[in-house]
Amino acid sequence: MQDVMLLCSGGLDSTTVAYWLREQEIGIVPIFFDYGQHCVEKEWATVQSVLPQDGVLQPSRIDISDIFRGSRSRLIREPDLWTEQVSDDDLYIPYRTLLFFSAGASYAQTRGVTEVYSGFINSNHAKEIDCSAAYLNGLDALAADVGPIRFRIPFRDWSKVQVVLEAARLKVPIGATYSCQLLSDTPCGACANCVERLIAIEAARVA
């Protein structure tokens, strides 16, 4: 079976997709995007430590940080949570998802890989248009008109609770994954990502 490419962030969703692919004995070519996020080194270290050990190539780190240089997004400029309040709008980065998929498709075709996987899920706090279910559902149809790459989003209709349950089944190192939006080295426990994750883990434990 041909290898597939996986967009990795070190977060729970993409890491669970990696374990899900390996259960099916599918080889993985992982790529990680440095877009200037303040937590880039934490995420990069996490990606390298949480992916399955067998059947997975060494992750490639792709630097696209110049595109968002000067951005005022608090995903780029780490806030001081002791003195600053951060709203959802403060976390917006224009066209980030579209950029990830476009760059991933280009990187994949250059290396002879035809499928690009990602860990996007049905998240209630995905405010950006290019993170919506409608956008993600149309992405593969758009790609079909311009090249051989196909986008695979196996958990697109899943809740975070479903991902946690699947991660537990696959023995994903859940506690070692990282997806905080506000702090660069320690989960804040208060941002939308952290709250959704904590609620899902508790709900999964009860289930």
Side-chain angles (χ1 to χ4, degrees):
M1 186 176 293
Q2 187 179 28
D3 291 349
V4 302
M5 187 161 288
L6 175 62
L7 309 184
C8 301
S9 67
L12 177 58
D13 304 333
S14 63
T15 304
T16 303
V17 172
Y19 278 76
W20 180 82
L21 288 168
R22 287 306 302 141
E23 183 181 50
Q24 301 170 64
E25 299 185 351
I26 298 173
I28 301 173
V29 180
I31 62 171
F32 170 84
F33 289 115
D34 171 358
Y35 59 93
Q37 66 270 42
H38 55 65
C39 56
V40 62
E41 297 305 334
K42 175 67 173 182
E43 287 186 349
W44 175 236
T46 301
V47 163
Q48 296 176 86
S49 67
V50 298
L51 289 175
Q53 295 300 303
D54 67 302
V56 181
L57 296 182
Q58 181 67 22
S60 295
R61 177 170 170 167
I62 312 299
D63 188 346
I64 55 174
S65 58
D66 281 347
I67 294 174
F68 298 116
R69 190 178 302 279
S71 169
R72 297 186 63 81
S73 169
R74 302 329 295 262
L75 284 175
I76 305 297
R77 298 171 55 244
E78 183 175 9
D80 178 355
L81 295 182
W82 292 104
T83 61
E84 298 177 276
Q85 290 186 333
V86 180
S87 68
D88 289 338
D89 290 341
D90 295 326
L91 297 169
Y92 176 66
I93 295 183
Y95 301 100
R96 181 179 58 161
T97 304
L98 178 59
L99 180 61
F100 285 176
F101 277 98
S102 297
S106 300
Y107 195 81
Q109 186 170 349
T110 299
R111 284 150 184 81
V113 179
T114 59
E115 293 183 292
V116 177
Y117 278 75
S118 71
F120 287 100
I121 69 169
N122 183 23
S123 173
N124 292 327
H125 73 266
K127 309 283 185 203
E128 298 92 337
I129 292 174
D130 62 353
C131 283
S132 69
Y135 179 87
L136 295 174
N137 288 338
L139 194 59
D140 194 46
L142 176 64
D145 294 331
V146 297
I149 304 301
R150 294 295 173 268
F151 298 121
R152 308 300 186 199
I153 313 172
F155 300 165
R156 77 175 73 196
D157 296 320
W158 288 28
S159 69
K160 183 69 79 172
V161 175
Q162 289 174 293
V163 173
V164 172
L165 290 169
E166 182 71 352
R169 184 186 73 80
L170 293 168
K171 295 182 170 52
V172 174
I174 296 173
T177 61
Y178 190 84
S179 56
C180 180
Q181 295 172 300
L182 295 182
L183 296 182
S184 61
D185 59 359
T186 305
C188 69
C191 71
N193 276 5
C194 283
V195 170
E196 183 181 49
R197 172 190 174 106
L198 291 168
I199 291 174
I201 289 173
E202 178 62 18
R205 185 190 66 79
V206 171

